[in-house]
Amino acid sequence: MNRTWDELVTSALLGTGRRVPPVEVRGGQDAAVALLDAAAVDTVRRRAGAVPAAALARPAPAPADARPPLPPAARRRLALLLADRSGSGGGGRRGASPDLTELLPQWLAAANGHGYQAPPALLPALLEAARSRSDLRQEALAFGGPRARWLAALNPQWKYALRPGPAADTGPAAGTGTGTGTDTGVWEEGLFAERAALLASVRQRDPAAARELLAGSWATERAEDRLMFLDALREGLSAQDEPFLERALSDRSRNVRATAAELLSALPGSALAARMAERARSCVSLDRTGEGEGPRIAVEAPHECDKGMQRDGVVVKPPSGRGERSWWLAQIVEATPPAAWSGRFGGRSPAEIVALPVADGWQPELHAAWCRAAVRQRDAEWARALLGPASAPPAAEGTSWRDPAKLLSALPRDERAAWVAEFVSAHGLSDAFRLLGVCAVPWAEPLGRAIVDALDAARDAGGYPWSFSGVMGLAERCLDPAQADRLEALTLLPEDPAADTPGRAGATAYWAEALQRLVGTLRLRATMRAELAGLPAGSVRPPSADGRSR
């Protein structure tokens, strides 16, 4: 019977009950069996008649990677982490086992710190993991090195690895120098995402070259692209960028002008900062005329927003519900270097200036602008004065001009951790999540001790651990593994369950489970660290079959 392969496929897809197959059915033979027999015969015929395709050119060998290989135990650990990419999260309870998905970014960062090369056999799994998780890409590509990029060129699904970026310049076989022909080609002909990644990469290794690259095409760029490219200059911002940014103040796009003004105001010695300081001094002064009240700060907000103010980034129209004059004042003070205020207030220190009363209800507006200025200028002395003592009661949501998390970012890392530790000791964990997010990792010992004590207090108070799930998640990634022994004592259930009140019995069990997971994660992090350092297995507690240390 004459038939075609497509007819056989159609009959198979529709079913022999709906489409009579183009085959000969003998005797009582089932039509479906006859169809499969015919397909088998035609398959052999098709394969036998296939014409061999021309052989493709063999790809060039993978580049060499001179970095040392992983220690065997660390290699096995990486294979386990990559095999568990699905994670143990999900919508239900997590149980007491560590979440290996959350440990992979830490493992990659630590491996890169040691300068190891990725095992070639694990490169496909590594590239696939980074394809589905953008948070892994920089560390994964740095770890994969030149061989990962070579392999990615053979699979279109891994094309993300070929885009210019910081990771593309990592490793002994990375590209050479700045301003190469490849850079120029990508900048002139690449997609926006590729150009933005290239600009960020060049800016990291040579700020001046990145500025020149941007200046060369500035006049022909779209307004939205100019805005995004200008934002890349935050990395490595210096006085050498001032002439370019001053020219950008005359840009035809209001958003570009505002961003250029913001960057210039972050340079204390810039001409824009000096102009803003002069305007601020005309608006804010020390008033000594109050009888018996002592000196106070007097504020006279601008009565107009002139062309010079607008060119320097002051936005004319305020947000809904905001007065024009207070809006203009806030922008001027925010762009003024905090160091300029000492002379205006008779040589007083930042703490003394902040303590002065402010007339006519201007204190929240003025102090909020000082906070933003301290953060923008990274002025630790002003940030410290505005932050105040950690033991002070936190203000109700939406009623405070302070943003402690942002002010903390301007302080040295040890002082930051000490302030947050005191805050946690005084107020517990309820308002600590954003503050913990700005602390250096791993958390310093005073902060780690305060967190463990606060978890103990929260458990004793009878609440449930998921009320502190954000803090617990941070603790798994940021708490020093040395705290595991102290935490383990908190995982023990009461010896006499009857002693636990009915309302707290369930919470106690949940706390034990959550703390067991935290302890297991900390010990697994310690094990991973020892494996990467090539330490003998006996130097840390060995992990159990489910990933937890015994």
Side-chain angles (χ1 to χ4, degrees):
M1 178 180 290
N2 293 329
R3 60 174 178 264
T4 66
W5 178 258
D6 289 341
E7 289 175 327
L8 288 173
V9 172
T10 301
S11 296
L13 290 173
L14 295 177
T16 56
R18 298 178 58 191
R19 179 73 171 263
V20 177
V23 298
E24 183 178 351
V25 181
R26 297 184 179 88
Q29 188 182 25
D30 185 84
V33 174
L35 174 62
L36 293 175
D37 288 343
V41 172
D42 274 26
T43 298
V44 175
R45 182 184 298 117
R46 286 162 56 85
R47 289 177 178 174
V51 178
L56 298 176
R58 179 179 298 179
D65 192 337
R67 295 175 296 176
L70 283 170
R75 186 191 184 286
R76 291 190 293 271
R77 179 69 58 192
L78 175 60
L80 289 172
L81 295 175
L82 290 172
D84 196 64
R85 285 195 298 113
S86 60
S88 57
R93 288 171 57 184
R94 288 179 52 194
S97 299
D99 186 350
L100 300 186
T101 304
E102 291 302 319
L103 291 172
L104 182 55
Q106 297 187 42
W107 189 97
L108 289 170
N112 285 329
H114 284 279
Y116 290 127
Q117 65 165 277
L122 295 180
L123 283 176
L126 181 67
L127 288 168
E128 190 62 23
R131 181 175 73 89
S132 58
R133 287 185 59 181
S134 57
D135 63 311
L136 292 178
R137 288 182 183 175
Q138 183 169 336
E139 294 289 358
L141 294 179
F143 181 56
R147 288 178 175 172
R149 294 189 292 278
W150 172 87
L151 188 61
L154 304 177
N155 185 345
Q157 291 189 323
W158 298 334
K159 62 182 179 182
Y160 71 86
L162 306 178
R163 297 170 186 153
D169 305 309
T170 304
T176 58
T178 304
T180 63
T182 301
D183 287 352
T184 303
V186 171
W187 183 251
E188 293 177 351
E189 302 174 7
L191 300 174
F192 172 76
E194 295 172 333
R195 300 178 72 216
L198 172 65
L199 184 65
S201 173
V202 176
R203 182 69 174 178
Q204 279 196 339
R205 63 181 188 254
D206 190 340
R211 185 176 61 249
E212 293 169 6
L213 193 67
L214 183 56
S217 63
W218 183 258
T220 61
E221 301 288 355
R222 300 183 305 166
E224 55 267 33
D225 293 350
R226 293 198 304 276
L227 179 62
M228 297 298 293
F229 290 149
L230 193 62
D231 202 56
L233 298 187
R234 296 181 191 277
E235 179 76 28
L237 184 67
S238 68
Q240 285 68 44
D241 298 314
E242 184 178 1
F244 176 81
L245 293 173
E246 274 286 344
R247 292 193 296 272
L249 289 176
S250 301
D251 195 88
R252 55 187 180 273
S253 166
R254 184 185 67 183
N255 290 333
V256 171
R257 295 195 302 270
T259 301
E262 180 190 347
L263 293 173
L264 283 168
S265 67
L267 296 171
S270 69
L272 180 139
R275 296 192 295 268
M276 287 298 196
E278 184 63 30
R279 294 182 181 111
R281 281 191 287 268
S282 69
C283 297
V284 182
S285 60
L286 188 63
D287 181 8
R288 301 178 183 272
T289 60
E291 295 183 5
E293 297 180 358
R296 62 180 182 172
I297 297 175
V299 176
E300 180 68 24
H303 290 273
E304 65 172 341
C305 184
D306 58 35
K307 296 295 184 183
M309 291 167 60
Q310 294 178 44
R311 183 181 182 275
D312 285 346
V314 178
V315 178
V316 179
K317 188 175 180 179
S320 177
R322 184 83 177 269
E324 283 185 338
R325 295 181 64 198
S326 66
W327 171 242
W328 299 335
L329 173 73
Q331 294 178 81
I332 290 172
V333 174
E334 180 180 345
T336 298
W341 293 107
S342 179
R344 185 61 171 162
F345 292 108
R348 287 177 170 82
S349 68
E352 292 170 332
I353 295 172
V354 169
L356 288 172
V358 183
D360 302 324
W362 281 103
Q363 191 250 20
E365 195 77 60
L366 181 62
H367 281 211
W370 277 341
C371 284
R372 293 190 294 271
V375 173
R376 184 181 294 185
Q377 300 271 354
R378 318 303 297 172
D379 192 310
E381 189 175 6
W382 267 89
R384 193 177 297 118
L386 291 160
L387 196 56
S391 56
E397 186 71 25
T399 64
S400 176
W401 45 262
R402 294 191 311 169
D403 189 337
K406 290 184 178 179
L407 288 169
L408 282 168
S409 68
L411 298 181
R413 55 182 293 170
D414 290 343
E415 185 178 354
R416 208 181 308 165
W419 195 96
V420 178
E422 185 180 348
F423 181 93
V424 170
S425 297
H427 310 296
L429 297 172
S430 297
D431 299 305
F433 179 71
R434 288 190 67 234
L435 306 180
L436 291 170
V438 299
C439 293
V441 177
W443 291 333
E445 198 278 334
L447 177 55
R449 185 173 63 249
I451 294 296
V452 174
D453 291 343
L455 288 173
D456 189 13
R459 184 198 60 164
D460 289 344
Y464 283 85
W466 49 73
S467 300
F468 309 98
S469 58
V471 173
M472 295 287 283
L474 282 176
E476 290 181 11
R477 298 189 295 273
C478 307
L479 197 59
D480 193 309
Q483 298 289 340
D485 288 339
R486 291 190 62 220
L487 279 164
E488 189 170 35
L490 307 184
T491 65
L492 302 177
L493 294 172
E495 293 184 4
D496 181 9
D500 211 355
T501 62
R504 293 183 55 183
T508 301
Y510 281 121
W511 270 109
E513 182 180 274
L515 292 169
Q516 285 168 9
R517 181 175 62 250
L518 178 55
V519 170
T521 301
L522 295 180
R523 290 210 167 121
L524 184 52
R525 283 175 49 206
T527 300
M528 287 165 32
R529 186 165 59 188
E531 291 169 346
L532 286 166
L535 298 178
S539 61
V540 293
R541 297 190 183 188
S544 59
D546 63 359
R548 288 181 288 150
S549 296
R550 291 191 292 268

